[in-house]
C-alpha cells in the first residue's frame, strides 16, 4: 500500500525555483511504470556508451542493472519509498530493517536501517546529464530513511554499500567509510546515532 | 503509519526474555517484537524459496544451518 509521508520541495535547476514534491512509503504501478518507461531506457542508453561497469561511473550509470521492480517485490521485509515531483518519480529507495547490524562502536551489533538501493532519476544526475533537473532528491530520501529508522527505534543508525560513483557523496553527509566489504565488493558506509542527529538537526 | 493494538499473553519466562532482549537491543518491547517479526518473515521467505540460512562461527568458520519449525 502506498502512503503519503510528507510534502517536500526539490530545487529545479532549469527554472531556478523550488518545486513541490511528495514522499511516499510503498510503491505503486505508477512508480514501476516510471522506472520501466522513463528511467531504464535512459540508463541503458547511457550505460551502453561505456565499455565496462567501472567506466560507467563517469556517466553515473553503475546502477543501470538494478531491477527495482523485481527487487521491491522480492522481499516482503523491504520498505520502499519514492519521491515524486511534477507527476514523475524522481527518486526511489529500498530499505531493509531485518538483516543488518551496526558495525561501528558504540552501538556495534545493534539493529540498523540498511539502505539496500537508493537512486535519483537519471535526468537529475550530474555526470549523466549536462543539465540535470532536480537537486535534493538524494538528501530527501536519506532524511526519509533516517526518520523511518528513528520511528522504528533504530535511533538513526543507518548503513549502506556504495557504488564507486557515489562514494564521495556519503562522507560529507556524516557517513563513516568502514572500508571495503569483500562480500559485496563495495565500500561499506555507516551513519552513527550522533551523526544522524546532526544530519537531521 | 497505521498501527493496530493487540494483547500479547506471555509466560513469565517469555516475558523475562522479552525484557532482557529489549534491554540488550536498546529498544522497547513493541519495537523488539516488530524486529523479530521482520527477521522471522525474512528467514521464512528464504527457506520457502529453497534457500538455506546459516550461522557461522567467526574463528572456526563452522557453519550451522538455521531451521524454522
Amino acid at each position: 500500500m502506498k502512503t503519503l509521508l510528507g510534502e517536500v520541495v526539490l530545487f529545479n535547476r532549469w527554472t531556478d525555483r523550488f518545486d513541490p514534491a511528495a514522499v511516499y512509503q510503498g510503491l505503486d504501478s505508477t512508480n514501476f511504470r516510471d522506472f520501466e518507461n522513463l528511467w531504464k531506457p535512459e540508463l541503458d542508453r547511457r550505460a551502453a556508451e561505456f565499455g565496462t561497469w567501472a567506466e560507467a561511473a563517469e556517466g553515473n550509470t553503475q546502477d543501470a542493472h538494478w531491477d527495482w521492480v523485481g527487487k521491491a517485490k522480492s522481499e516482503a521485509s523491504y520498505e520502499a519509498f519514492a519521491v515524486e515531483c511534477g507527476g514523475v518519480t524522481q527518486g526511489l529507495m529500498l530499505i531493509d530493517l531485518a538483516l543488518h547490524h551496526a558495525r561501528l562502536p558504540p552501538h556495534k551489533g545493534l539493529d540498523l536501517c540498511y539502505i539496500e538501493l537508493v537512486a535519483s532519476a537519471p535526468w537529475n544526475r550530474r555526470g549523466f546529464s549536462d543539465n540535470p533537473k532536480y537537486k535534493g532528491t538524494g538528501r530527501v530520501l536519506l532524511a526519509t530513511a533516517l526518520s523511518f529508522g528513528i520511528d522504528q527505534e533504530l535511533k538513526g543508525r543507518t548503513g549502506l554499500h556504495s557504488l564507486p560513483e557515489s562514494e564521495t557523496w556519503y562522507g560529507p553527509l556524516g557517513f563513516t567509510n568502514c572500508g571495503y566489504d569483500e562480500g559485496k565488493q563495495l565500500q561499506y558506509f555507516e551513519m552513527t546515532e550522533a551523526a544522524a542527529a546532526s544530519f537531521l538537526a | 503509519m497505521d498501527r493496530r493494538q493487540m494483547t500479547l499473553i506471555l509466560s513469565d519466562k517469555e516475558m523475562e526474555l522479552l525484557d532482557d532482549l529489549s534491554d540488550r537491543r536498546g529498544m522497547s518491547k513493541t519495537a523488539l517484537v516488530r524486529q523479530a517479526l521482520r527477521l522471522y518473515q525474512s528467514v521464512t521467505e528464504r527457506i520457502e524459496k529453497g534457500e538455506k540460512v546459516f550461522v557461522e562461527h567467526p574463528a572456526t568458520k563452522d557453519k550451522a544451518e538455521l531451521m524454522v519449525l
Side-chain angles (χ1 to χ4, degrees):
Chain A
M1 189 174 68
K2 188 173 174 178
T3 309
L4 177 66
L5 285 184
E7 311 272 344
V8 295
V9 290
L10 296 179
F11 182 68
N12 187 333
R13 294 186 181 98
W14 295 359
T15 62
D16 239 15
R17 298 172 69 166
F18 287 96
D19 288 351
V23 182
Y24 293 94
Q25 182 180 354
L27 307 181
D28 66 7
S29 57
T30 305
N31 304 118
F32 291 137
R33 200 167 51 237
D34 284 351
F35 175 75
E36 292 291 353
N37 297 341
L38 303 176
W39 288 40
K40 188 133 184 61
E42 288 290 298
L43 288 167
D44 288 343
R45 178 188 57 75
R46 187 81 167 108
E49 296 173 17
F50 302 95
T52 65
W53 180 77
E55 289 169 2
E58 189 186 327
N60 218 337
T61 57
Q62 287 187 316
D63 61 327
H65 63 289
W66 286 359
D67 174 18
W68 279 96
V69 179
K71 194 91 172 171
K73 293 177 178 173
S74 68
E75 291 256 2
S77 67
Y78 285 154
E79 298 285 351
F81 299 86
V83 179
E84 296 180 16
C85 184
V88 174
T89 307
Q90 303 293 342
L92 291 167
M93 176 172 68
L94 280 185
I95 66 175
D96 183 2
L97 303 182
L99 297 175
H100 298 268
H101 300 97
R103 301 183 189 184
L104 288 176
H107 301 112
K108 185 177 178 181
L110 295 186
D111 304 61
L112 58 58
C113 172
Y114 179 78
I115 301 177
E116 185 77 28
L117 302 176
V118 61
S120 182
W123 51 84
N124 295 329
R125 304 180 189 182
R126 290 190 183 281
F128 187 97
S129 165
D130 292 335
N131 187 20
K133 189 173 185 182
Y134 286 114
K135 181 181 180 184
T137 312
R139 289 184 76 97
V140 165
L141 287 169
L142 176 59
T144 302
L146 297 182
S147 299
F148 187 74
I150 287 168
D151 186 57
Q152 301 298 311
E153 299 189 25
L154 303 180
K155 301 181 175 67
R157 297 184 298 269
T158 305
L160 59 87
H161 288 86
S162 174
L163 292 172
E165 67 190 17
S166 306
E167 287 169 359
T168 57
W169 193 71
Y170 294 107
L173 296 175
F175 279 88
T176 300
N177 186 342
C178 300
Y180 188 71
D181 186 327
E182 291 286 348
K184 287 269 192 178
Q185 299 192 327
L186 294 170
Q187 297 283 334
Y188 175 72
F189 288 80
E190 194 169 296
M191 186 175 267
T192 62
E193 293 178 16
S198 176
F199 178 86
L200 292 172
Chain B
M1 182 192 296
D2 291 337
R3 285 180 174 157
R4 296 186 197 179
Q5 193 170 343
M6 67 170 284
T7 302
L8 185 63
I9 299 172
L10 299 175
S11 66
D12 287 347
K13 186 180 175 186
E14 289 161 346
M15 185 58 89
E16 279 174 26
L17 181 61
L18 186 57
D19 279 332
D20 178 54
L21 275 173
S22 70
D23 192 42
R24 284 160 59 190
R25 306 306 294 177
M27 56 179 70
S28 68
K29 287 176 235 181
T30 300
L32 186 89
V33 170
R34 279 198 213 116
Q35 281 297 89
L37 267 176
R38 290 191 185 102
L39 181 60
Y40 192 61
Q41 177 192 42
S42 183
V43 169
T44 300
E45 277 182 357
R46 283 158 196 265
I47 288 172
E48 283 177 354
K49 281 191 266 186
E51 297 177 26
K52 291 183 178 178
V53 180
F54 292 94
V55 289
E56 184 183 80
H57 190 283
T60 64
K61 303 295 178 191
D62 284 344
K63 288 182 181 176
E65 185 178 348
L66 188 67
M67 307 293 285
V68 176
L69 301 176

